[in-house]
C-alpha cells in the first residue's frame, strides 16, 4: 500500500496553474505515493469538470476555493485577537516600527484565509489522525499555516513546503513583511528553496542555521525539444524573456542596442506586462533610426512557442537585466537547456546561474556595459561556442527537471525513515 501525500497548490491542475513546475514532479511522486491534490483555484476555473493537465493514474483532486462573507470575517477577526499566534504577530509587527496598521491588516487577512481554508479541509474530512502522511505545500503561504496550526492533532504528519519568491521575500509582499513566517517555521519539517541565495536570505531572516530542515531543491526545466546543433539562421539573434515590468528593466536592453554599431543584430523579446506598450514606444524612439538593429516584441505567447523558437534559431545569447531576482529564473533555465549563452545582472539567484556559460554584469549596469557584453559574445565565435557548451552542461548538472525530480522525491522519502 502506498504512503499518503497531500499536495496543496494555488491553481493546479485547473487550467495551467503550476503545470510547468509540477507535471514532472507529480509523475515521479505518484509512483511512490497515493496523492490527493488540494487546489485553491477560484471562480470560473473550478466550474469545468475536466482540467487541462493530464494527471497520473490514481491522483485525486479536491478544491478549497476561499469564499468569505462579512460574518466569517468578523468571527475570524475575533479569533485572531484571542489567538496566541495573533498576539505573536502583533508583537512582531510592533517591533518593525513601520507601517503597523498596514502590516496588521495583511496579517489578519492571511489568518482569515488560513482559518477558512482549514474549515473547508475539515469539512471534507481528508486527513486520518491514525494514518502516516505528508502534507506538501507547493507555496509557503496561508494554506501552509492552515496545516502547521493544527499539526498537533496529527502525530504522524510531516509538513513540508517550497519557498519561491512572493512567498519568501519581504519586499515581494505588499506591506513589506511576510506574515506568520516565524510561527510556521517552528512547525515545518522541511523547507525547500530554489537556490542558495533564497536559502541564505531565509536563514538570515530567521536567525537560524537549521541546515537539516532548510534544503536547496531546484525544480529545473524539460530538455530541449530538438538537437541544438540542428538550428538554422545567422548568428545574430538576441533574445530576452520576462514580464515587461519595472523590475525587469527592459529599457536597459533598448538603451544598449541604441548604441549598437556592429553588424546587424535582431532582438526578440517574449513576454507582456504593465509596461509593454510603453516599452514598445520607447524602443521605437530609440531603435528605429539604427539600421543595424531589428527588434520584435512578441507579447504573451505560449511557452511551447518560445521553446520552438529556441529550437529553430541560432541564438547568440539570452539577456536579463533584472534589478532583483530571488530565485533561479525559469526563463534562464530554459535558455540554458538549448545551449544558449547567458548575460545577466549580478542579483539573487542569477549569480549562481552564470559561470563559464556567459557574462555576469554588475547589478546596476550602464547601457555601454550591456552593449559591450553582447558585442563580446557576438564578435567571438570561439568564445561563444565554449559558452554554448558550458550552458548546456550547467543545465544538465543543476537544472534538468528529470534529475532534480528524483533528487526531490528521494529527500521526501527519507522523511518516512
Amino acid at each position: 500500500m502506498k504512503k499518503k501525500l497531500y499536495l496543496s497548490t494555488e491553481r493546479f491542475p485547473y487550467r495551467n496553474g503550476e503545470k510547468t513546475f509540477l507535471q514532472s514532479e507529480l509523475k515521479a511522486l505518484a509512483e511512490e505515493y497515493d496523492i490527493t491534490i488540494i487546489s485553491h483555484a477560484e471562480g470560473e476555473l473550478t466550474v469545468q469538470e475536466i482540467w487541462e493537465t493530464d494527471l497520473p493514474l490514481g491522483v485525486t483532486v479536491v478544491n478549497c476555493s476561499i469564499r468569505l462573507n462579512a460574518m466569517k470575517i468578523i468571527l475570524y477577526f475575533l479569533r485572531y485577537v484571542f489567538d496566541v499566534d495573533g498576539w505573536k504577530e502583533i508583537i512582531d509587527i510592533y517591533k518593525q516600527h513601520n507601517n503597523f496598521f498596514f502590516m496588521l491588516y495583511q496579517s489578519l487577512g492571511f489568518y482569515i484565509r488560513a482559518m477558512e481554508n482549514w474549515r473547508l479541509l475539515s469539512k471534507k474530512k481528508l486527513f486520518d489522525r491514525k494514518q502516516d502522511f505528508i502534507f506538501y505545500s507547493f507555496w509557503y503561504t496561508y494554506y501552509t499555516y492552515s496545516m502547521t496550526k493544527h499539526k498537533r492533532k496529527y502525530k504522524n504528519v510531516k509538513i513540508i513546503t517550497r519557498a519561491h519568491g512572493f512567498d519568501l521575500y519581504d519586499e515581494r509582499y505588499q506591506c513589506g513583511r511576510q506574515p506568520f513566517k516565524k510561527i510556521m517555521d517552528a512547525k515545518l519539517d522541511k523547507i525547500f528553496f530554489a537556490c542558495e541565495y533564497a536559502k541564505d536570505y531565509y536563514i538570515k531572516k530567521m536567525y537560524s542555521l537549521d541546515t537539516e530542515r532548510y534544503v536547496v531543491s531546484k525544480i529545473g526545466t524539460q530538455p530541449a525539444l530538438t538537437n541544438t546543433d540542428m538550428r538554422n539562421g545567422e548568428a545574430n539573434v538576441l533574445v530576452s524573456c520576462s514580464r515587461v515590468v519595472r523590475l525587469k528593466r527592459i529599457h536597459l536592453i533598448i538603451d544598449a542596442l541604441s548604441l549598437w554599431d556592429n553588424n546587424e543584430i535582431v532582438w526578440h523579446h517574449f513576454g507582456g506586462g504593465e509596461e509593454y506598450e510603453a516599452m514598445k514606444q520607447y524602443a521605437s524612439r530609440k531603435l528605429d533610426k539604427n539600421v543595424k538593429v531589428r527588434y520584435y516584441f512578441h507579447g504573451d505567447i505560449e511557452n511551447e512557442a518560445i521553446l520552438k523558437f529556441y529550437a529553430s534559431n541560432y541564438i547568440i545569447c539570452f539577456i536579463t537585466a533584472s534589478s532583483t531576482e530571488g530565485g533561479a529564473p525559469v526563463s534562464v533555465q530554459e535558455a540554458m537547456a538549448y545551449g544558449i549563452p547567458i548575460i545577466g545582472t549580478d542579483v539573487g539567484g542569477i549569480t549562481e546561474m552564470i559561470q563559464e556559460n556567459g557574462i555576469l554584469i554588475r547589478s546596476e549596469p550602464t547601457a555601454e556595459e550591456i552593449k559591450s557584453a553582447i558585442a563580446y559574445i557576438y564578435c567571438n565565435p570561439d568564445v561563444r561556442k565554449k559558452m554554448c557548451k558550458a550552458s548546456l552542461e550547467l543545465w544538465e548538472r543543476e537544472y534538468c527537471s528529470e534529475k532534480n525530480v528524483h533528487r526531490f522525491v528521494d529527500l521526501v522519502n527519507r522523511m518516512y525513515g
Side-chain angles (χ1 to χ4, degrees), residues 1 40 82 241 253 272 297 338 371 411:
M1 184 177 178
H40 296 83
F82 290 99
C241 180
I253 302 175
F297 282 83
Y338 285 81
K371 178 250 183 182
L411 289 170

Side-chain angles (χ1 to χ4, degrees), residues 336 339 386 388-398:
M336 289 166 56
K386 290 179 180 177
C388 289
K389 184 173 182 291
S391 209
L392 182 57
E393 288 176 348
L394 180 58
W395 174 84
E396 289 177 336
R397 187 168 65 251
E398 300 288 340

Side-chain angles (χ1 to χ4, degrees), residues 6-59:
Y6 296 92
L7 170 60
S8 193
T9 69
E10 191 68 22
R11 292 191 301 164
F12 184 86
Y14 296 98
R15 298 285 173 88
N16 285 331
E18 300 93 326
K19 178 179 178 179
T20 303
F21 308 107
L22 271 172
Q23 197 163 32
S24 296
E25 189 173 285
L26 182 63
K27 182 178 179 181
L29 284 169
E31 294 177 1
E32 304 279 342
Y33 297 93
D34 173 14
I35 298 176
T36 296
I37 298 173
I38 305 171
S39 174
H40 296 83
E42 297 182 2
E44 295 180 1
L45 291 177
T46 63
V47 173
Q48 55 188 10
E49 291 295 327
I50 301 175
W51 38 83
E52 294 183 9
T53 305
D54 293 329
L55 299 179
L57 185 66
V59 173

Side-chain angles (χ1 to χ4, degrees), residues 38-39 61-65 117-127:
I38 305 171
S39 174
V61 180
V62 297
N63 181 256
C64 281
S65 180
N117 184 68
W118 182 256
R119 187 188 70 82
L120 293 172
L121 290 175
S122 299
K123 187 176 180 181
K124 295 177 185 296
K125 298 180 180 179
L126 290 179
F127 309 126

Side-chain angles (χ1 to χ4, degrees), residues 168-416:
L168 173 61
Y169 299 99
D170 284 334
E171 63 270 20
R172 300 282 187 91
Y173 215 79
Q174 193 174 6
C175 65
R177 175 185 180 271
Q178 292 278 342
F180 286 86
K181 281 296 186 286
K182 292 180 181 178
I183 294 170
M184 288 187 284
D185 177 83
K187 297 181 180 179
L188 285 165
D189 294 283
K190 290 281 186 193
I191 305 176
F192 298 99
F193 301 92
C195 61
E196 291 290 345
Y197 176 86
K199 177 184 172 183
D200 291 344
Y201 171 90
Y202 189 80
I203 287 172
K204 290 175 183 177
K205 178 179 175 178
M206 292 293 163
Y207 304 103
S208 172
L209 289 173
D210 198 345
T211 54
E212 291 296 319
R213 291 195 301 125
Y214 305 152
V215 181
V216 174
S217 176
K218 298 167 184 174
I219 296 176
T221 59
Q222 294 291 316
L225 295 173
T226 188
N227 189 330
T228 55
D229 293 331
M230 303 299 291
R231 290 176 293 202
N232 303 313
E234 297 182 39
N236 66 349
V237 178
L238 170 72
V239 297
S240 54
C241 180
S242 71
R243 298 292 295 162
V244 186
V245 294
R246 183 174 300 178
L247 292 176
K248 298 302 179 181
R249 299 192 298 197
I250 305 301
H251 69 279
L252 284 178
I253 302 175
I254 296 171
D255 290 342
L257 291 177
S258 72
L259 304 175
W260 190 257
D261 54 3
N262 289 296
N263 293 331
E264 184 184 60
I265 192 168
V266 185
W267 172 42
H268 293 264
H269 179 80
F270 299 96
E274 60 193 43
E275 294 189 345
Y276 183 74
E277 292 300 327
M279 283 300 103
K280 284 178 66 177
Q281 294 174 21
Y282 186 67
S284 179
R285 292 197 303 271
K286 299 280 285 188
L287 301 179
D288 283 357
K289 293 181 181 180
N290 190 337
V291 296
K292 299 289 188 179
V293 178
R294 287 189 288 129
Y295 64 93
Y296 301 91
F297 282 83
H298 297 279
D300 289 321
I301 64 175
E302 291 292 329
N303 182 255
E304 186 176 347
I306 300 173
L307 300 185
K308 285 181 178 179
F309 182 88
Y310 292 171
S312 58
N313 291 273
Y314 191 96
I315 300 167
I316 59 167
C317 65
F318 176 102
I319 183 166
T320 170
S322 182
S323 62
T324 180
E325 197 64 65
V330 171
S331 60
V332 177
Q333 295 179 43
E334 289 177 337
M336 289 166 56
Y338 285 81
I340 300 171
I342 309 297
I343 295 174
T345 42
D346 188 6
V347 295
I350 293 176
T351 305
E352 302 167 32
M353 305 179 77
I354 301 180
Q355 299 171 20
E356 293 82 13
N357 61 319
I359 299 176
L360 188 66
I361 53 181
R362 294 188 308 122
S363 59
E364 297 291 338
T366 63
E368 179 62 41
E369 287 171 334
I370 295 175
K371 178 250 183 182
S372 296
I374 298 170
Y376 180 74
I377 298 175
Y378 182 93
C379 297
N380 293 278
D382 290 339
V383 171
R384 186 169 66 242
K385 186 175 180 180
K386 290 179 180 177
M387 287 182 176
C388 289
K389 184 173 182 291
S391 209
L392 182 57
E393 288 176 348
L394 180 58
W395 174 84
E396 289 177 336
R397 187 168 65 251
E398 300 288 340
Y399 301 103
C400 173
S401 62
E402 292 179 1
K403 294 179 181 178
N404 289 347
V405 159
H406 292 293
R407 292 168 183 158
F408 174 72
V409 173
D410 183 55
L411 289 170
V412 174
N413 285 342
R414 292 179 193 175
M415 300 185 68
Y416 270 107

Side-chain angles (χ1 to χ4, degrees), residues 100-111:
F100 176 82
F101 290 106
F102 192 18
M103 289 184 178
L104 184 61
Y105 173 78
Q106 293 286 330
S107 174
L108 179 60
F110 188 97
Y111 182 87

Side-chain angles (χ1 to χ4, degrees), residues 60-89:
T60 57
V61 180
V62 297
N63 181 256
C64 281
S65 180
I66 306 297
R67 295 180 177 87
L68 296 164
N69 55 39
M71 182 59 69
K72 287 181 181 178
I73 292 173
I74 292 170
L75 290 173
Y76 289 137
F77 168 75
L78 294 173
R79 184 181 297 183
Y80 179 93
V81 171
F82 290 99
D83 194 319
V84 173
D85 286 354
W87 277 101
K88 286 180 180 178
E89 278 283 283

